[in-house]
């Protein structure tokens, strides 16, 4: 008999796409599921749709938040409602291919993993393909392949897309509460990182989700730095992202092994120091190397100059920016 799996779905003003997503979950080849939904006080017709599904489908349980708590705390709310030994996360606007649960479960069992995540096909609002692989587009697949069994996979930035996750209930206690003090570190980043510190992660390269991009996504494929016209803007964004991540780590240092606790503090101090170094920084290059040694050589060099030698990086940035502008890519 199939093992019961809880699918956790958060909603907020999702009336446009929610039916398609729910139907794709209910129509999976793997049938033994509970679909647990938490609506974050939607203002559109989402609640009415959910009430209709709950009345006709015994596998669905819906919670309605009396006030908006935000999508991270909404996911946390659902994590506390998990009853089965295995759970999955779902967004409200994607479409799951029929074999998604079945194939992900096979990997979880075969690899004896604590958490499995996967690639996605990026599509537009009409489910027409934009990018065949999210992992390729975001340049994550090389790092995933090399560091899948190391905490370093999810340490410097997030490689785990939440809506692809299947994980074991026994790990929930370790990840709660999910920090909310930085908008640059969200639930899937934290879930992948904390699970990877002591547990085993596995990856599904096949694409079992149509990852819909429609302009109102909480998280998507948009690369914010591509909007900027100056290196100063890009550098400031990069530093603020890293400060948000590492202050979160430092404030939750009890979750980390002793050696990583020290690195968390050093990393935060490094990014705090270079925040005010506008032209040169010649200190703590060893910390930079510890953090970025997992990256490709090109990524390492680009970030080294942006962080430590911005006066030189500005020249290269201007040349690149105007080149892309001439090609009408900016």
């Amino acid at each position: 008999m199939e093992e019961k799996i809880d699918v956790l779905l958060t909603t907020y003003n999702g009336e446009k796409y929610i039916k398609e997503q729910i139907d794709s979950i209910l129509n999976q080849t793997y049938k033994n599921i509970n679909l647990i939904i938490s609506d974050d006080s939607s203002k559109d017709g989402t609640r009415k749709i959910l009430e209709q599904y709950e009345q006709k489908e015994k596998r669905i349980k819906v919670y309605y938040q009396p006030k908006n708590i935000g999508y991270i705390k909404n996911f946390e709310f659902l994590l506390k409602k998990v009853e089965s030994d295995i759970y999955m996360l779902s967004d409200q606007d994607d479409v799951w291919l029929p074999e998604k649960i079945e194939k992900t479960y096979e990997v979880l069992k075969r690899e004896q993993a604590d958490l499995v995540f996967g690639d996605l096909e990026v599509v537009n609002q009409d489910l027409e393909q934009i990018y065949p692989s999210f992992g390729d587009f975001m340049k994550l697949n090389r790092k995933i392949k090399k560091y899948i069994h190391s905490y370093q996979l999810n340490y410097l930035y997030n490689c785990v897309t939440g809506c692809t996750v299947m994980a074991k209930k026994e790990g929930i206690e370790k990840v709660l509460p999910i920090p909310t003090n930085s908008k640059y570190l969200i639930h899937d980043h934290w879930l992948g990182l904390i699970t990877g510190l002591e547990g085993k992660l596995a990856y599904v390269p096949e694409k079992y989700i149509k990852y819909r991009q429609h302009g109102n996504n909480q998280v998507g494929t948009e690369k914010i730095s591509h909007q900027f016209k100056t290196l100063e803007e890009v550098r400031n964004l990069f530093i603020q992202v890293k400060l948000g991540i590492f202050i979160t780590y430092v404030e939750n240092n009890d979750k980390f092994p002793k050696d990583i606790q020290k690195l968390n503090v050093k990393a935060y101090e490094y990014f705090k120091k270079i925040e005010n170094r506008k032209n040169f920084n010649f200190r703590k290059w060893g910390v930079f190397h510890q953090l970025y040694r997992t990256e490709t050589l090109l990524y390492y060099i680009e970030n080294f100059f942006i962080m430590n030698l911005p006066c030189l990086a500005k020249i290269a940035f201007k040349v690149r920016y105007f080149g892309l502008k001439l090609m009408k890519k900016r």
Side-chain angles (χ1 to χ4, degrees):
M1 184 175 177
E2 292 180 336
E3 185 174 4
K4 180 79 76 174
I5 296 175
D6 289 347
V7 180
L8 313 181
L9 170 59
T10 60
T11 62
Y12 178 69
N13 290 349
E15 65 176 0
K16 189 171 183 179
Y17 304 114
I18 190 64
K19 288 183 178 181
E20 201 168 10
Q21 172 67 308
I22 291 176
D23 287 343
S24 76
I25 294 172
L26 295 177
N27 292 325
Q28 290 286 299
T29 57
Y30 193 105
K31 301 297 184 183
N32 194 14
I33 65 170
N34 291 320
L35 177 53
I36 309 173
I37 302 171
S38 177
D39 181 68
D40 199 13
S41 193
S42 290
K43 308 304 180 187
D44 63 358
T46 301
R47 177 165 184 155
K48 183 177 180 180
I49 294 170
L50 297 179
E51 288 172 344
Q52 292 171 348
Y53 271 99
E54 192 174 21
Q55 290 172 6
K56 67 181 182 181
E57 176 56 66
K58 293 181 179 180
R59 292 181 293 172
I60 292 180
K61 170 64 179 176
V62 186
Y63 296 91
Y64 300 97
Q65 300 297 337
K67 63 179 181 179
N68 187 272
I69 59 175
Y71 69 99
I72 294 178
K73 283 302 176 183
N74 206 16
F75 268 118
E76 182 175 288
F77 172 86
L78 284 178
L79 285 173
K80 295 176 181 178
K81 298 298 181 183
V82 172
E83 295 182 355
S84 302
D85 290 337
I86 298 173
Y87 70 91
M88 303 181 74
L89 302 183
S90 170
D91 290 341
Q92 68 178 3
D93 44 15
D94 301 327
V95 172
W96 288 14
L97 300 189
E99 65 273 27
K100 171 179 163 49
I101 297 179
E102 177 186 350
K103 296 299 184 181
T104 308
Y105 179 75
E106 288 176 1
V107 174
L108 183 83
K109 290 300 182 180
R110 183 177 68 245
E111 299 292 328
Q112 297 183 331
D114 298 289
L115 182 149
V116 176
F117 66 104
D119 203 351
L120 317 95
E121 178 192 4
V122 182
V123 299
N124 64 16
Q125 60 185 10
D126 299 315
L127 301 181
E128 298 167 335
Q129 187 181 94
I130 302 175
Y131 309 112
S133 166
F134 178 78
D136 285 343
F137 173 70
M138 299 299 286
K139 299 181 180 179
L140 300 175
N141 282 335
R142 170 256 175 200
K143 188 172 185 180
I144 290 171
K145 183 177 181 179
K146 189 172 183 178
Y147 292 99
I148 186 64
H149 299 309
S150 169
Y151 79 91
Q152 292 173 316
L153 172 72
N154 238 42
Y155 186 69
L156 187 61
Y157 53 81
N158 183 35
C159 291
V160 174
T161 309
C163 60
T164 69
V165 163
M166 174 183 284
K168 294 180 179 178
K169 177 186 178 183
E170 62 191 40
I172 292 177
E173 184 178 349
K174 296 177 183 178
V175 304
L176 295 182
I178 299 173
T180 57
N181 54 324
S182 173
K183 65 180 180 179
Y184 299 117
L185 194 156
I186 59 176
H187 62 287
D188 47 8
H189 186 162
W190 186 249
L191 187 63
L193 174 66
I194 299 303
T195 304
L197 288 173
E198 298 179 2
K200 182 179 181 181
L201 272 58
Y203 184 60
V204 180
E206 293 80 16
K207 296 82 177 171
Y208 293 118
I209 297 182
K210 291 185 178 294
Y211 189 42
R212 196 188 317 248
Q213 304 297 294
H214 50 79
N216 294 316
N217 303 67
Q218 291 282 5
V219 181
T221 60
E222 183 180 13
K223 297 182 178 181
I224 299 174
S225 61
H226 287 185
Q227 302 172 8
F228 297 144
K229 297 180 180 180
T230 66
L231 181 79
E232 289 86 350
E233 293 175 294
V234 174
R235 184 174 188 266
N236 181 64
L237 172 66
F238 285 5
I239 292 174
Q240 293 310 310
V241 169
K242 294 301 184 285
L243 284 174
I245 289 172
F246 286 107
I247 191 59
T248 302
Y249 292 176
V250 171
E251 291 177 352
N252 294 274
N253 243 353
D254 60 317
K255 301 274 190 181
F256 295 83
K258 294 293 184 181
D259 57 332
I260 304 178
Q261 289 182 15
K262 294 178 181 178
L263 181 57
N264 291 342
V265 174
K266 289 179 181 178
Y268 177 72
E269 291 175 346
Y270 165 76
F271 286 107
K272 195 66 182 172
K273 181 177 292 292
I274 67 171
E275 185 179 20
N276 297 316
R277 300 287 178 91
K278 304 300 183 183
N279 294 306
F280 296 97
N281 170 62
F282 295 108
R283 301 188 64 183
K284 297 189 180 296
W285 284 8
V287 176
F288 175 90
H289 177 69
Q290 275 188 280
L291 297 175
Y292 286 84
R293 63 186 177 182
T294 58
E295 308 305 314
T296 62
L297 180 60
L298 179 60
Y299 190 89
Y300 182 103
I301 293 172
E302 285 179 342
N303 279 271
F304 179 83
F305 276 88
I306 290 171
M307 299 300 180
N308 297 298
L309 302 172
C311 63
L312 299 179
K314 289 176 187 177
I315 300 171
F317 181 87
K318 287 180 181 179
V319 172
R320 181 174 180 270
Y321 179 82
F322 285 111
L324 291 171
K325 197 171 182 181
L326 288 173
M327 293 185 289
K328 298 182 178 180
K329 293 184 177 181
R330 288 289 186 275

